[in-house]
Amino acid sequence: DSSEATFGSQRVDDFNKRLLDFIVEKSERSGWDNPYRVAIRTKFTIDKMLGDVKSFVANELDAMLTDLKEANENVDQDDYYHHHLKTWRCSVLEESDQQWNFECSDYIGKWMVHGDVIISNKKVNIREFQSENHIGVEYFILHVDLMSDSDDEDWSSGGDDNEEED
């Protein structure tokens, strides 16, 4: 259900409208049959991928980071080694249309920022990418960030930094 991916704020609704309007206009100019179907299908495909990313962050990321840290405690690794966490991709890009690819990438970037999928307090890095006709998102963590003591044993973001101590 991609309706979860639209959130409901006016800003995000504007992002949705911009992507849909662009795809409909492009489809009409290209003479494609049923441009609204192309627009909805493209947006839902991207929203499904982003919903999977958000689900991973909410349900699997903390355990994965804890397991990865335990497995690498006694490993001598370059500080800037990238520990790959997970990659998502979907097929929505047009091979020869830079504007189409930009609009899809821009939508993903805006959704990730305003949809709270970026998790800066966990030191996880996010990279958007395009390859052939795919667009995607990759999560990874640098070895130095993984092994830092600042988040020992608790990768979750639920704590309040201003808690009073007894």
Side-chain angles (χ1 to χ4, degrees):
D1 181 13
S2 68
S3 63
E4 294 175 14
T6 60
F7 293 94
S9 75
Q10 180 62 42
R11 177 182 289 169
V12 175
D13 287 344
D14 290 343
F15 300 154
N16 292 334
K17 184 176 179 347
R18 175 183 164 158
L19 179 69
L20 291 170
D21 287 348
F22 169 79
I23 294 172
V24 167
E25 181 182 314
K26 169 69 177 168
S27 299
E28 288 173 342
R29 278 185 293 157
S30 299
W32 297 345
D33 292 334
N34 204 345
Y36 293 99
R37 182 173 183 255
V38 172
I40 294 294
R41 179 172 282 204
T42 301
K43 183 187 173 309
F44 281 3
T45 300
I46 295 171
D47 285 349
K48 169 122 177 53
M49 179 189 73
L50 290 170
D52 292 345
V53 172
K54 189 161 186 158
S55 176
F56 168 78
V57 169
N59 301 315
E60 300 173 39
L61 182 60
D62 291 338
M64 182 179 277
L65 290 171
T66 299
D67 292 347
L68 188 60
K69 184 171 183 171
E70 289 174 6
N72 282 279
E73 281 182 330
N74 297 320
V75 175
D76 186 24
Q77 189 67 261
D78 176 52
D79 282 349
Y80 298 102
Y81 177 79
H82 291 196
H83 292 280
H84 177 265
L85 299 173
K86 194 155 184 175
T87 301
W88 298 265
R89 68 184 59 176
C90 62
S91 178
V92 295
L93 298 181
E94 290 295 311
E95 194 170 306
S96 62
D97 191 331
Q98 291 180 348
Q99 185 64 33
W100 177 286
N101 299 347
F102 169 79
E103 291 294 337
C104 291
S105 251
D106 187 54
Y107 177 75
I108 288 173
K110 289 175 179 173
W111 194 95
M112 291 192 64
V113 170
H114 299 286
D116 298 325
V117 178
I118 294 178
I119 38 170
S120 59
N121 62 324
K122 296 183 186 187
K123 300 179 183 175
V124 172
N125 298 287
I126 301 167
R127 181 179 74 89
E128 292 177 44
F129 64 89
Q130 296 177 8
S131 63
E132 296 175 12
N133 66 335
H134 290 88
I135 192 165
V137 177
E138 175 188 20
Y139 272 48
F140 66 92
I141 189 167
L142 297 175
H143 187 74
V144 67
D145 292 335
L146 177 67
M147 302 314 291
S148 71
D149 292 332
S150 63
D151 287 328
D152 253 357
E153 304 301 319
D154 183 17
W155 292 98
S156 67
S157 59
D160 184 358
D161 291 338
N162 298 322
E163 287 182 16
E164 292 180 23
E165 294 184 25
D166 291 330

